[in-house]
């Protein structure tokens, strides 16, 4: 460990109090930049996949533990626990963060103190307040550091159901339009929550203290909370009376992440020239694979409960709806094929004229504006962005429609 510290210090890494810093034997010094990187007192670094690029500062407010994370340039991880996550240029988290595997924070995405994330994707400039639990979701919207989507303090994305599953991922914004960084921001007011899975359109404003329980499908919508009447009613676990909706939203989420993965492979890769940039890109794609795998894992659990769900439905109703029983059986029987389909589509190289046309526009923007991802994407003309939207939305729609072919009863 001392040898690794000496190597890092000699290459320029600032470690003001080396005796207080713990660095695992599996850390590769070649994956840590010596250019303006600071590791403050009490920090711990582990993992052969850990990557730290120039300008990154770790543990300035409180000690931080980094385990198999990748940070781009000028990332600020002020304190907390970070594992299996990727942070692109200029992103960061305040002290007390608890960032678990499968998280991807794009350029300028930030969180204040005491934020918990898992399987969460934040598009550029998305900002989270303090005391937030925001797991199993993707959030987009906004155009820059002054006009960004934001989540108020003390917000929760409720991602665990009464049936003890997590088929609850929410799309706040979307992938095809969100990647263009030209949409209206979304605001989720503090001391509120969202019961996943839901979808939320751009321009949405959710008032403080409001719980989002249904999809918000129209842009420029304001949702105001209201007191609900307390009441009790019979409850039977694992009935899954809303199976259609669960599958619809989960299929759409998985299809969207596959499209985002394609964006990273075909577009983002154009901006990753150096060895460390390529490793950062590799880490980001790995997080998208983790997101897909997690959603398939959770849907598999739901599929495995279908036989029990059928029996529960029969027990509580002398004449259970025949079509509902048929759908549940079909979903359980067809799940292995559906799962294989989604996994195979990750490797799919679609032949798209719109994709080729859009990539040419991006390459032109790089030649004119330089090799900065944000600058190049934001410089695209409206019609060029629209071509990219149509390419990605077409991919999402294609994956969705083909997945539903396995379930004709639906």
């Amino acid at each position: 460990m001392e040898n690794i510290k000496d190597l890092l210090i000699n290459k320029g890494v600032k470690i003001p109090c080396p005796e207080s810093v713990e660095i695992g034997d599996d850390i590769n010094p070649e994956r840590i930049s010596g250019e303006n990187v600071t590791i403050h007192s009490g920090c711990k670094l582990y993992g052969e996949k850990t990557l730290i690029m120039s300008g990154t500062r770790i543990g300035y407010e409180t000690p931080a533990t980094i385990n198999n994370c990748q940070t781009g340039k000028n990332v600020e991880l002020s304190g907390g626990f970070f594992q299996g996550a990727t942070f692109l240029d200029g992103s960061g988290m305040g002290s007390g963060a608890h960032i678990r595997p499968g998280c991807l924070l794009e350029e300028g995405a930030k969180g204040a103190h005491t934020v918990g994330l898992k399987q969460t994707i934040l598009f550029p400039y998305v900002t989270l307040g303090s005391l937030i639990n925001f797991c199993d979701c993707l959030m987009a919207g906004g155009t820059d550091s002054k006009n960004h989507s934001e989540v108020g303090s003390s917000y929760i994305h409720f991602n665990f159901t009464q049936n003890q599953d997590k088929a609850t991922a929410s799309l706040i914004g979307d992938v095809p339009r969100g990647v263009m960084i030209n949409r209206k921001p979304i605001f989720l007011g503090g001391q509120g929550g969202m019961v996943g899975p839901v979808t939320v359109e751009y321009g949405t404003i959710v008032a403080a203290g409001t719980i989002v329980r249904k999809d918000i499908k129209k842009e420029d919508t304001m949702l105001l909370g209201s007191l609900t009447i307390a009441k009790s009613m019979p409850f039977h676990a694992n009935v899954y009376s809303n199976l259609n909706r669960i599958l619809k939203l989960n299929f759409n989420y998985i299809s969207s992440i596959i499209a985002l993965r394609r964006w990273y492979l075909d577009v983002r890769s154009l901006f990753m020239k150096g060895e460390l940039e390529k490793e950062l890109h590799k880490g980001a794609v790995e997080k998208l694979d983790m997101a897909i795998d997690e959603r398939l894992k959770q849907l598999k659990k739901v599929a495995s409960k279908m036989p029990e769900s059928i029996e529960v439905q029969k027990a509580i109703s002398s004449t259970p709806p025949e079509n509902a029983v048929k759908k549940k059986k079909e979903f359980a029987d067809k799940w292995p094929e559906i799962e294989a389909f989604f996994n195979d589509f990750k490797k799919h190289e679609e032949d798209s004229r719109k994709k080729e046309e859009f990539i040419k526009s991006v390459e032109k923007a790089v030649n004119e504006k330089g090799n900065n991802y944000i600058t190049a994407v934001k410089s695209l003309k409206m019609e060029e962005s629209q071509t990219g939207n149509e390419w990605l939305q077409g991919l999402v729609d294609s994956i969705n429609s083909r997945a539903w072919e396995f379930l004709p009863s639906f």
Side-chain angles (χ1 to χ4, degrees), residues 68-257:
N68 280 324
C69 291
Q70 301 81 41
T71 72
K73 297 176 182 177
N74 303 315
V75 170
E76 181 91 22
L77 302 180
S78 296
F81 179 78
F82 307 86
Q83 180 176 16
T86 299
F87 302 85
L88 302 188
D89 296 357
S91 60
M93 278 286 151
S95 62
H98 193 245
I99 312 302
R100 290 180 283 168
C103 292
L104 171 59
L105 275 68
E106 295 192 340
E107 289 85 352
K110 287 182 171 26
H113 70 80
T114 325
V115 172
L117 304 178
K118 172 183 66 69
Q119 295 290 337
T120 298
I121 300 170
L122 303 180
F123 274 19
Y125 306 114
V126 172
T127 299
L128 310 180
S130 301
L131 301 168
I132 285 173
N133 190 314
F134 208 60
C135 302
D136 296 302
C137 52
L138 178 150
M139 188 168 187
T143 58
D144 53 49
S145 59
K146 295 182 180 180
N147 179 47
H148 54 77
S149 290
E150 182 161 350
V151 181
S153 296
S154 301
Y155 200 90
I156 299 176
H157 178 252
F158 297 100
N159 65 326
F160 191 65
T161 76
Q162 68 275 18
N163 295 315
Q164 300 185 352
D165 66 65
K166 290 190 176 184
T168 51
S170 294
L171 276 175
I172 306 153
D174 66 4
V175 169
R177 294 173 293 168
V179 293
M180 302 304 168
I181 323 175
N182 61 3
R183 296 289 161 172
K184 294 179 180 179
I186 297 166
F187 178 74
L188 306 179
Q191 292 197 336
M194 179 177 293
V195 181
V198 295
T199 59
V200 177
E201 259 294 354
Y202 294 109
T204 293
I205 296 175
V206 178
T210 302
I211 305 295
V212 180
R213 299 180 181 275
K214 297 181 179 180
D215 299 336
I216 301 176
K217 300 179 180 180
K218 293 183 179 180
E219 290 196 29
D220 302 321
T221 296
M222 176 176 282
L223 183 65
L224 299 173
S226 60
L227 295 176
T228 57
I229 300 173
K231 60 181 179 179
S232 62
M233 62 184 70
F235 169 71
H236 303 280
N238 297 324
V239 173
Y240 286 99
S241 57
N242 60 343
L243 185 61
N244 279 51
R245 184 173 185 274
I246 291 172
L247 296 186
K248 177 184 176 183
L249 294 175
N250 277 271
F251 284 5
N252 189 51
Y253 193 92
I254 296 169
S255 301
S256 297
I257 302 302

Side-chain angles (χ1 to χ4, degrees), residues 251 255 338 341-342 344-345 348 350 395-407:
F251 284 5
S255 301
I338 297 171
F341 163 75
F342 280 123
D344 288 344
F345 218 100
H348 179 65
E350 92 278 19
L395 183 56
V396 172
D397 293 343
S398 175
I399 300 170
N400 255 324
S401 62
R402 292 174 64 176
W404 282 111
E405 290 176 4
F406 292 99
L407 301 171

Side-chain angles (χ1 to χ4, degrees), residues 181-395:
I181 323 175
N182 61 3
R183 296 289 161 172
K184 294 179 180 179
I186 297 166
F187 178 74
L188 306 179
Q191 292 197 336
M194 179 177 293
V195 181
V198 295
T199 59
V200 177
E201 259 294 354
Y202 294 109
T204 293
I205 296 175
V206 178
T210 302
I211 305 295
V212 180
R213 299 180 181 275
K214 297 181 179 180
D215 299 336
I216 301 176
K217 300 179 180 180
K218 293 183 179 180
E219 290 196 29
D220 302 321
T221 296
M222 176 176 282
L223 183 65
L224 299 173
S226 60
L227 295 176
T228 57
I229 300 173
K231 60 181 179 179
S232 62
M233 62 184 70
F235 169 71
H236 303 280
N238 297 324
V239 173
Y240 286 99
S241 57
N242 60 343
L243 185 61
N244 279 51
R245 184 173 185 274
I246 291 172
L247 296 186
K248 177 184 176 183
L249 294 175
N250 277 271
F251 284 5
N252 189 51
Y253 193 92
I254 296 169
S255 301
S256 297
I257 302 302
I258 292 175
L260 182 58
R261 186 180 188 274
R262 195 72 257 161
W263 172 267
Y264 267 76
L265 295 179
D266 294 334
V267 179
R268 281 270 191 180
S269 60
L270 300 174
F271 300 87
M272 306 295 189
K273 303 296 185 182
E275 287 304 314
L276 293 186
E277 282 89 351
K278 290 178 181 178
E279 288 299 311
L280 181 66
H281 179 262
K282 181 179 177 181
V285 173
E286 178 188 58
K287 303 310 171 295
L288 298 176
D289 287 335
M290 291 169 69
I292 296 166
D293 291 345
E294 176 68 13
R295 302 280 55 90
L296 293 176
K297 172 185 169 184
Q298 298 301 334
L299 272 185
K300 183 176 182 178
K301 289 182 179 179
V302 175
S304 71
K305 291 184 176 183
M306 289 301 100
E308 178 186 354
S309 180
I310 292 172
E311 293 306 314
V312 171
Q313 199 159 25
K314 289 179 178 178
I316 63 177
S317 174
S318 56
T319 56
E322 183 178 336
N323 193 41
V325 171
K326 182 179 180 181
K327 287 180 177 180
K328 291 175 181 179
K329 186 176 186 309
E330 184 177 72
F331 174 47
D333 292 344
K334 292 291 186 177
W335 173 250
E337 295 177 54
I338 297 171
E339 183 178 29
F341 163 75
F342 280 123
N343 279 320
D344 288 344
F345 218 100
K346 284 196 299 186
K347 310 165 191 174
H348 179 65
E349 291 273 1
E350 92 278 19
D351 182 17
S352 169
R353 179 186 59 81
K354 290 187 181 295
K355 181 184 83 169
E356 299 305 323
E357 183 181 339
F358 177 73
I359 289 177
K360 287 180 181 179
S361 297
V362 175
E363 291 172 338
K364 179 183 176 184
V366 171
N367 291 332
E368 294 177 352
K369 302 293 183 179
N371 197 49
N372 181 279
Y373 170 78
I374 296 290
T375 301
V377 171
K378 290 181 68 174
S379 72
L380 295 172
K381 298 176 182 177
M382 185 58 69
E383 58 268 25
E384 293 172 331
S385 294
Q386 183 62 32
T387 299
N389 293 344
E390 292 171 1
W391 158 44
L392 292 174
Q393 190 60 58
L395 183 56

